Amino acid sequence: MGSKNRFYVDIMAMHEEVTGSCNLVVIKFPNGNTIRFVVDCGLFQERKYSELNEIFHFNPENIDFCLVTHNHVDHIGRLPLMVKNGFSNKIYATNTTCKLLPLALQDNFNILHDISKRKHTKCLYQESNIDETVRLLEPCNYNETVQINENIRVTFFMNGHLVGASLILVQISYSGYEDINLLFTGDYNNKNIFFDVPNLPDWVLELPLTLVQESTYGNMETKDMKQVFKGNIKNCLSNKGTVVALVFSLGRSQEILYELRKMQLSGDLDPNIPIYFDGKLAIRYTNLYIKDGLDIKNNMRDFLPENLSFVNTETRQEVLESKTSKIILTTSGMGSYGPAQIYIPEYISRKNSLIHFTGYTAEGTLGNKLKNAEHDEIVQIGGLMTKKNGKVEYTTEYSSHAKADEIISFLKQFKNIRLLLLNHGEIETKVCFSKRILREIETKNVGLLGREYFYRVNPYGLVKIISTKFD
């Protein structure tokens, strides 16, 4: 058995909880060669981890390739920093992700640059690093195996989390040894209203696997999801109020636009009520949905509601000054950046207004702060102090992450999970969900990925767990 340990993989996470996703994988071959790669390289959005944005616990110059699961900033936001620090090899992602990623990186840079100017600090990376990053992109088709080198092959499978999102299978081979098979789910969902999500092929389900599984909603059941958005919107509008719905640029924006269209068609929303959509990146993504199609079904390209106006910096003031009842969709989804910083201070003090978050709000974000503030409490938004008179609501019904029961159903498909590693979840959620997995899934070991340990895996499963020396 000792000789078998000469062929192994060390897996560790650079992130503890939900944002800043980055998994480092180090492969040791029997001939002494070492290959290193990362899966995602995202930006930390929790305030308590923000200082980690400047730190890599590995040398980017030594990374042989990068895999990207999907185009959200907490998974791709630090790619240009990795390039700035010496990474110069290929970045593999799906075709759609490669179309979207340059837009996301430019928008992220604009935000980071603005923050650095206000705080008189140095920006994480330069705009030129974005161009360098984009040149490294290697677009991949779904279900087609890519040969990275003679020992490593990678296959991307469709994932309902987001257009372009993928589950990534990495198969590592060496003559005389069984393969080491790693499956990274990224942020996972089993469905998407804009496209059909096929089942994984049988040959994947039958592989002996080390599976790296996200756990964002590992403590929530599908049946616990409350459908409140439509009711909250109708209540606010019935009182001649204004709704400010906070949406993520990619995925959530388009889904909420479609929800409003369905409300109009069902009679739940008067089509004469104006709907405004503000967010440069979100509008660009929406146009791609309509014109490019991306991965979406042809019959879903007509998803915009009636009486919709796209807002820019020239027309924004007219929206703010309008006294009529209306719906405003704006970015960012957590409220901390973008036009949301203009709309929220304007409407949070109005008694007949509704600030509605439509997804996850990380600790330290404006959305999280407003959700926890009491009515009539004084809140600080940027440099402004104002009273919370308007209602603040929150829903997870549009979450693009699978819930605990859905993840369990997903995991039950696999015939031979030799090790299951949980990541992308709050610490308490990962602990809770790991216990459920051990009760309901046929797997011997469940590990909690984080910055404290790395997991050594060979073709037969877990070899040992080793403490890291991260600060």
Side-chain angles (χ1 to χ4, degrees):
M1 183 65 185
S3 63
K4 299 293 184 184
N5 287 338
R6 295 201 302 263
F7 180 37
Y8 62 83
V9 170
D10 289 337
I11 306 173
M12 61 203 81
M14 302 294 107
H15 57 288
E16 284 289 348
E17 300 192 65
V18 174
T19 71
S21 286
C22 182
N23 294 296
L24 173 66
V25 182
V26 181
I27 309 168
K28 292 288 187 178
F29 291 99
N31 63 1
N33 289 346
T34 300
I35 294 286
R36 299 174 178 86
F37 69 91
V38 293
V39 181
D40 293 334
C41 190
L43 196 73
F44 289 93
Q45 293 170 294
E46 296 104 333
R47 179 176 295 170
K48 61 184 175 182
Y49 297 124
S50 60
E51 63 183 24
L52 296 178
N53 280 322
E54 301 178 17
I55 301 168
F56 287 115
H57 290 289
F58 56 85
N59 184 352
E61 291 182 0
N62 295 336
I63 301 300
D64 294 283
F65 63 93
C66 173
L67 306 174
V68 171
T69 61
H70 67 283
N71 184 57
H72 272 157
V73 70
D74 62 320
H75 290 257
I76 54 94
R78 292 203 299 160
L79 286 173
L81 180 62
M82 190 166 71
V83 170
K84 176 184 177 182
N85 288 354
F87 175 76
S88 59
N89 294 311
K90 289 183 178 181
I91 302 171
Y92 297 88
T94 64
N95 286 297
T96 290
T97 295
C98 288
K99 292 177 185 177
L100 300 170
L101 193 141
L103 303 179
L105 291 182
Q106 184 61 55
D107 183 74
N108 188 48
F109 171 77
N110 294 341
I111 293 171
L112 293 174
H113 187 251
D114 181 62
I115 293 172
S116 66
K117 282 200 301 183
R118 284 191 278 110
K119 293 187 174 181
H120 304 288
T121 57
K122 190 175 181 180
C123 193
L124 275 181
Y125 54 83
Q126 304 305 312
E127 197 164 12
S128 60
N129 299 131
I130 298 173
D131 296 331
E132 297 171 50
T133 303
V134 171
R135 283 195 290 270
L136 300 177
L137 290 175
E138 189 73 18
C140 301
N141 296 323
Y142 285 118
N143 302 309
E144 289 186 11
T145 298
V146 178
Q147 198 74 39
I148 304 291
N149 59 35
E150 63 178 347
N151 300 108
I152 303 171
R153 58 195 188 277
V154 171
T155 313
F156 292 79
F157 298 99
M158 188 169 278
N159 178 351
H161 177 68
L162 190 71
V163 286
S166 58
L167 300 96
I168 306 178
L169 174 66
V170 183
Q171 296 175 274
I172 307 160
S173 61
Y174 195 86
S175 179
Y177 292 80
E178 285 188 37
D179 286 357
I180 299 176
N181 302 303
L182 311 175
L183 181 64
F184 296 87
T185 68
D187 290 357
Y188 170 72
N189 202 1
N190 58 348
K191 57 190 176 297
N192 193 294
I193 62 169
F194 286 102
F195 57 90
D196 296 323
V197 183
N199 294 327
L200 284 172
D202 288 342
W203 68 268
V204 175
L205 300 177
E206 292 168 1
L207 288 172
L209 283 173
T210 290
L211 201 155
V212 179
Q213 171 70 56
E214 73 117 320
S215 57
T216 313
Y217 287 107
N219 60 352
M220 184 177 292
E221 298 291 297
T222 305
K223 63 180 176 60
D224 296 332
M225 301 294 292
K226 295 180 180 179
Q227 309 291 322
V228 299
F229 181 75
K230 290 195 294 184
N232 291 339
I233 298 298
K234 290 168 66 176
N235 287 340
C236 179
L237 296 177
S238 68
N239 294 318
K240 309 299 182 185
T242 289
V243 176
V244 180
L246 287 303
V247 290
F248 301 110
S249 294
L250 182 60
R252 195 62 43 81
S253 290
Q254 296 74 34
E255 188 169 359
I256 297 300
L257 286 168
Y258 180 55
E259 186 66 78
L260 296 177
R261 175 180 170 82
K262 288 193 297 179
M263 289 178 67
Q264 289 176 340
L265 293 173
S266 67
D268 289 321
L269 176 61
D270 184 347
N272 294 309
I273 292 176
I275 301 171
Y276 298 98
F277 186 27
D278 197 344
K280 186 176 180 181
L281 181 62
I283 292 171
R284 292 185 72 178
Y285 283 147
T286 299
N287 285 327
L288 279 176
Y289 267 62
I290 297 167
K291 296 173 182 176
D292 184 277
L294 303 176
D295 300 315
I296 73 174
K297 296 179 284 191
N298 286 332
N299 65 349
M300 285 300 298
R301 295 195 192 189
D302 184 19
F303 62 90
L304 299 183
E306 294 182 47
N307 209 12
L308 173 69
S309 300
F310 290 162
V311 180
N312 55 37
T313 52
E314 288 74 30
T315 59
R316 187 176 296 144
Q317 192 59 37
E318 296 177 21
V319 178
L320 290 166
E321 292 175 357
S322 168
K323 303 299 182 184
T324 61
S325 182
K326 56 190 169 294
I327 299 173
I328 302 168
L329 270 61
T330 187
T331 57
S332 65
M334 299 188 194
S336 294
Y337 307 109
Q341 290 280 291
I342 299 171
Y343 290 109
I344 291 177
E346 179 70 26
Y347 288 99
I348 191 68
S349 60
R350 300 187 188 182
K351 291 183 178 180
N352 66 337
S353 67
L354 169 64
I355 310 296
H356 209 305
F357 293 90
T358 61
Y360 180 79
T361 52
E363 178 274 329
T365 62
L366 177 59
N368 191 269
K369 182 199 301 184
L370 293 180
K371 278 165 52 182
N372 294 325
E374 299 292 333
H375 185 71
D376 285 342
E377 185 177 334
I378 305 297
V379 293
Q380 180 176 351
I381 304 173
L384 182 70
M385 305 298 292
T386 188
K387 184 180 287 188
K388 179 184 171 182
N389 289 326
K391 293 186 85 173
V392 176
E393 299 286 358
Y394 166 75
T395 182
T396 56
E397 66 196 270
Y398 301 106
S399 172
S400 54
H401 297 263
K403 311 307 175 291
D405 53 312
E406 294 171 317
I407 297 174
I408 291 294
S409 295
F410 170 71
L411 295 176
K412 283 182 177 179
Q413 302 175 91
F414 296 94
K415 311 300 186 215
N416 192 358
I417 300 177
R418 294 187 170 174
L419 174 64
L420 199 153
L421 299 174
L422 290 180
N423 74 345
H424 202 282
E426 293 178 352
I427 293 171
E428 290 182 4
T429 300
K430 286 191 290 188
V431 171
C432 176
F433 192 44
S434 67
K435 295 176 182 178
R436 177 171 178 178
I437 288 172
L438 285 168
R439 288 193 299 267
E440 300 186 32
I441 300 297
E442 290 294 326
T443 182
K444 183 179 178 182
N445 296 305
V446 177
L448 307 179
L449 275 175
R451 297 171 60 250
E452 295 182 0
Y453 305 101
F454 64 86
Y455 295 80
R456 180 158 296 174
V457 178
N458 68 11
Y460 308 99
L462 180 67
V463 176
K464 60 180 174 179
I465 305 171
I466 305 170
S467 295
T468 66
K469 295 184 174 16
F470 296 163
D471 295 331

